Amino acid sequence: IKCRPPANRNPQPQEVQCCTPYLQRQIALLQPQIILALGRFAAQALLQASVPEVATLPLGRLRGQVHRHGAVPVVVSYHPAYLLRTPQDKAKAWADLCLARATVDAG
């Protein structure tokens, strides 16, 4: 979604759906080499077509591998707000960034 809902609550499904056309258009225009999905809602929005069970998988199970959004590789990592609350997972996020870099370099 384009902004955090009021009171920092999780977005409702209809709010995510409202923003999806904008995201898809941005991806089409930018033609990125890779997408880094930060957080559960980003991962779910980007991977719902390629990972059918994405809505029920914990974020940790989506990390450490390269997914696809159409032809674009997608690497999933933790949301920055989560890392501020859970600094012990910063090393895992760094590994995700390294995976994203290696994916771009290999492509």
Side-chain angles (χ1 to χ4, degrees):
I1 62 172
K2 294 297 186 183
C3 57
R4 191 72 175 171
N8 204 30
R9 65 171 167 74
N10 288 336
Q12 299 295 318
Q14 65 270 22
E15 292 171 321
V16 175
Q17 284 180 322
C18 285
C19 292
T20 298
Y22 297 105
L23 175 63
Q24 298 302 332
R25 183 67 177 142
Q26 285 178 321
I27 292 170
L29 289 171
L30 294 173
Q31 299 178 2
Q33 291 181 321
I34 195 164
I35 298 172
L36 183 62
L38 299 177
R40 180 169 47 107
F41 296 104
Q44 288 174 351
L46 290 165
L47 301 178
Q48 61 187 345
S50 60
V51 182
E53 69 279 6
V54 71
T56 60
L57 288 174
L59 188 74
R61 296 271 313 273
L62 296 168
R63 291 184 49 259
Q65 55 192 307
V66 179
H67 302 278
R68 295 268 170 202
H69 177 75
V72 182
V74 176
V75 172
V76 175
S77 190
Y78 296 112
H79 191 280
Y82 169 82
L83 294 172
L84 288 173
R85 294 187 310 272
T86 317
Q88 63 270 23
D89 281 344
K90 287 182 180 180
K92 293 177 185 177
W94 179 252
D96 297 333
L97 293 174
C98 291
L99 174 60
R101 182 72 232 185
T103 302
V104 170
D105 290 344

